[in-house]
Every structure is written in C-alpha cells, then in structure tokens.
Amino acid sequence: MDDPLRDPWLPAMRLALAEAEQAARESDVPVGAVVLGPDGQLLATARNEREATGDPTAHAELLALRRAARALHTSAADPTPGTARTTHEWRLTNCTLVVTLEPCTMCAGAAVLSRVDRVVYGARDAKAGAAGSLWDVVRDRRLNHRPEVIAGVLPEECGRLLTDFFRRPRTGPADNPAP
C-alpha cells in the first residue's frame, strides 16, 4: 500500500537519485539532493562533488541549499511583476530539501540554518545520520528552527546505489572516497 506522506516526494527523490548516479560515475559517493520551492517548483539540484572539487564540504545537500538560496535571491532581484520573492532573502522558508541519504551533522545543521521547512530522505545512515539515526540535529529542541523530517522515500533504491558503490573495487584516492 502506498504511503500518502511519501508519494508526493517520489518525483523529487527520483531527480535526487539521478544526481547520485552521476556522482557515482564521477567516482564520488553517490548522494544526490534537490531543493523544492514553496510551490513545489525545482529550485536546485546537486550531487556530492568532494572528489571532483577537492572540497570536504561539497556534500550534495550543502551545494543544493546554496544553489537554491542563490536562485531565490536572483528571482527576488527580478523586477518582473508576480515573481515569487520580493526581498533578498537567504532563508529557504517553505522549501523542501530532498536527499538520497540521511544528512550528516554538517548537512543537518545547514538545513536547520537555511530554515527549510522539511527534510525528506531515502536511506538511513546508521553511522553518520543526523536526522534521527545516530543524532537528531534537525529536531533538536534547543535550536530555533526544526524542520519536519520525512524518512524512507525510495529507501531500497537509495541504499542499493550506496551499497553497490562501496562494493565496487577501487584503485586510487579518487576511487576510494570516504563516506
């Protein structure tokens, strides 16, 4: 039976999975993310780019959040009547972060600080997850913003991509990234 909470997120998760697959082809850990705007429009897509850029913070979630904020900021500057945003905001209020793997502490913190309304993820990360598995940064009552968390959207597909990636033989540093 389909879960009504998860079904609306399937198309976005499939986009995130396509990003994750591209990351794997580029020898990076296959994690993909998308940010949906307040009306459900696609604001940004991203995949892990740590190996490609040599940047330890180039996680899919951070890149997607940055790109989404830039997209909203740019549309806010657009003088066209009827644009969705009218101020130069960095906040991603009413936006949704969709990611194939449960965010780590850095990415969970970024989701909180960006003020997304919800975090939707596919596979749990028992070793580093910070949206309920190992830690629960996004719902920590001590913080001023707590996004809704929707877990387990296409978890098998998201998890399989990671499992297959780490089972593949690798030969060098670019082929042997840490999770």
Side-chain angles (χ1 to χ4, degrees), residues 6-130:
R6 288 176 176 75
D7 289 348
W9 310 114
L10 291 178
M13 187 60 77
R14 291 192 197 292
L15 287 172
L17 274 166
E19 287 289 326
E21 289 166 357
Q22 183 60 37
R25 285 191 290 276
E26 296 169 357
S27 296
D28 217 322
V29 176
V31 177
V34 301
V35 177
L36 303 175
D39 60 359
Q41 83 276 16
L42 180 65
L43 291 178
T45 63
R47 60 184 163 274
N48 273 359
E49 294 180 11
R50 292 184 305 172
E51 296 300 325
T53 63
D55 179 354
T57 68
H59 288 210
E61 301 95 321
L62 285 182
L63 297 172
L65 291 168
R66 287 177 188 152
R67 291 171 186 164
R70 190 169 33 244
L72 285 177
H73 185 77
T74 302
S75 71
D78 183 352
T80 307
T83 55
R85 304 280 289 201
T86 57
T87 62
H88 293 275
E89 275 290 335
W90 53 265
R91 291 168 188 84
L92 298 176
T93 306
N94 298 319
C95 292
T96 301
L97 171 65
V98 179
V99 61
T100 57
L101 179 65
E102 179 181 0
C104 68
T105 54
M106 176 178 68
C107 295
V112 169
L113 293 173
S114 70
R115 309 296 199 276
V116 295
D117 277 15
R118 80 192 47 74
V119 174
V120 177
Y121 71 85
R124 290 183 67 234
D125 187 350
K127 293 181 180 180

Side-chain angles (χ1 to χ4, degrees), residues 105 108-109 111-113 119 130-132 134-149:
T105 54
V112 169
L113 293 173
V119 174
L134 187 58
W135 296 286
D136 202 351
V137 171
V138 294
R139 292 177 286 204
D140 190 316
R141 294 198 178 281
R142 295 168 292 183
L143 300 175
N144 66 335
H145 180 73
R146 290 180 296 281
E148 172 188 14
V149 175

